[in-house]
Amino acid sequence: MKLNERSLAFYATCDSPADKSGFLYKRGERHTAYHRRWFVLKGNMLFYFEERDSREPVGVIVLEGCNVELCDSAESFAFAIRFGGSKSRTYVLAADSQAAMESWVKSLSRASFDYMRLVVRELEKQLQEMSRGLPGGCGGSQDAPGPWKPMPPGLEQCRERLPALPAVPPKENGCAVWNNVPGPERPPDTSGCGGHDEEGAPRPPPPLPPRRRVSNGGTASAGPAVAPSPSTFCRLHEQYSREVARLRQDWQQKRRGSQP
């Protein structure tokens, strides 16, 4: 396997969450002395550093095709990572306590892709068995589609308990009016900006802009629109400004009258 040293160093020190990390004692390959190292497990790669704050790892162990098992050693709470093959290296590690050793052995045993593949196969097998055991279950029924069946009475009762959806609000002059609740439940409109005046009578809609004039003096009701002149915009602006000012004045008067 060809590994890129820079990529491994970046992956070992990046901000991606680690599956497990902590101090372990690692026995040297040539010398049998144990050295305290900081180990970081990410996926199927076990990185080890000289110190916890080291910028680059000293080495990496790819946990594929290996077995994690307890071993006899002069150091307490020791375990080994053994690879298949006569020339493969065996890594001997030791933890500070029995609980730490069991936790590391469990995590390292589940880090390989071979283990994940076995877990996925077992879950797929259990899912198939559950699908066969459920008649008409999702994914487990291989029968041909039958004729239409009526809805069970329980669903009809649940549908009756559901609240009715609100009706689409009506529109006035192309704009939706959200406060027009029918009947006496409608709250009084105190803003002065609704579609009704003080006595409850509907207000007349604002006047429409003038239609396009044709050459013979008539009005055209169809045909392509023509851009109005600036004077038309000025008149419309003044007319709507007066309407807005009047509505604002009415609203202010009502607000002063409602205050004690």
Side-chain angles (χ1 to χ4, degrees):
M1 179 185 296
K2 185 177 181 181
L3 300 177
N4 190 309
E5 183 177 354
R6 293 184 178 180
S7 300
L8 285 178
F10 174 78
Y11 179 62
T13 57
C14 66
D15 296 334
S16 61
D19 299 325
K20 189 174 181 59
S21 60
F23 283 104
L24 292 173
Y25 294 92
K26 176 180 173 296
R27 191 176 71 179
E29 183 178 6
R30 297 180 181 179
H31 305 284
T32 58
Y34 283 84
H35 301 277
R36 193 167 185 257
R37 296 287 184 259
W38 176 258
F39 282 81
V40 176
L41 176 62
K42 288 189 175 183
N44 63 341
M45 294 185 178
L46 180 63
F47 300 93
Y48 52 95
F49 302 77
E50 288 186 358
E51 299 293 338
R52 184 172 184 174
D53 299 332
S54 299
R55 296 184 177 180
E56 293 184 358
V58 178
V60 58
I61 305 174
V62 182
L63 302 173
E64 293 295 338
C66 63
N67 295 323
V68 184
E69 55 190 22
L70 303 180
C71 66
D72 296 332
S73 177
E75 193 73 18
S76 302
F77 312 115
F79 58 95
I81 303 176
R82 303 183 186 276
F83 292 86
S86 58
K87 298 182 179 181
S88 299
R89 179 183 173 181
T90 298
Y91 295 87
V92 180
L93 308 174
D96 293 330
S97 62
Q98 179 73 19
M101 180 193 67
E102 294 177 358
S103 177
W104 273 106
V105 170
K106 183 183 298 184
S107 298
L108 296 177
S109 302
R110 299 177 178 180
S112 65
F113 285 107
D114 292 336
Y115 176 82
M116 296 299 298
R117 190 180 297 110
L118 293 176
V119 172
V120 171
R121 290 178 180 175
E122 181 65 23
L123 292 176
E124 290 178 349
K125 182 179 178 180
Q126 295 179 8
L127 181 60
Q128 292 177 0
E129 293 177 355
M130 292 175 61
S131 301
R132 296 193 193 99
L134 295 176
C138 298
S141 177
Q142 303 295 336
D143 301 335
W148 177 85
K149 297 180 180 180
M151 184 180 297
L155 296 180
E156 293 290 346
Q157 297 176 1
C158 295
R159 179 176 295 182
E160 294 177 358
R161 299 193 195 102
L162 295 176
L165 296 176
V168 179
K171 295 184 178 181
E172 293 183 4
N173 300 329
C175 300
V177 181
W178 300 99
N179 60 347
N180 53 352
V181 182
E185 299 179 359
R186 183 182 65 183
D189 185 7
T190 59
S191 63
C193 298
H196 299 78
D197 55 9
E198 300 177 1
E199 299 178 357
R203 261 188 205 148
L208 297 176
R211 295 184 179 180
R212 180 173 58 88
R213 300 289 180 178
V214 296
S215 58
N216 56 1
T219 58
S221 58
V226 179
S229 62
S231 60
T232 304
F233 282 108
C234 293
R235 291 195 300 270
L236 291 176
H237 179 71
E238 293 177 359
Q239 186 174 3
Y240 283 106
S241 299
R242 290 193 297 268
E243 180 69 16
V244 172
R246 184 179 63 81
L247 293 175
R248 185 173 181 273
Q249 185 178 3
D250 295 344
W251 174 77
Q252 290 178 351
Q253 291 178 358
K254 292 181 179 180
R255 186 177 181 183
R256 294 192 195 99
S258 60
Q259 294 179 356

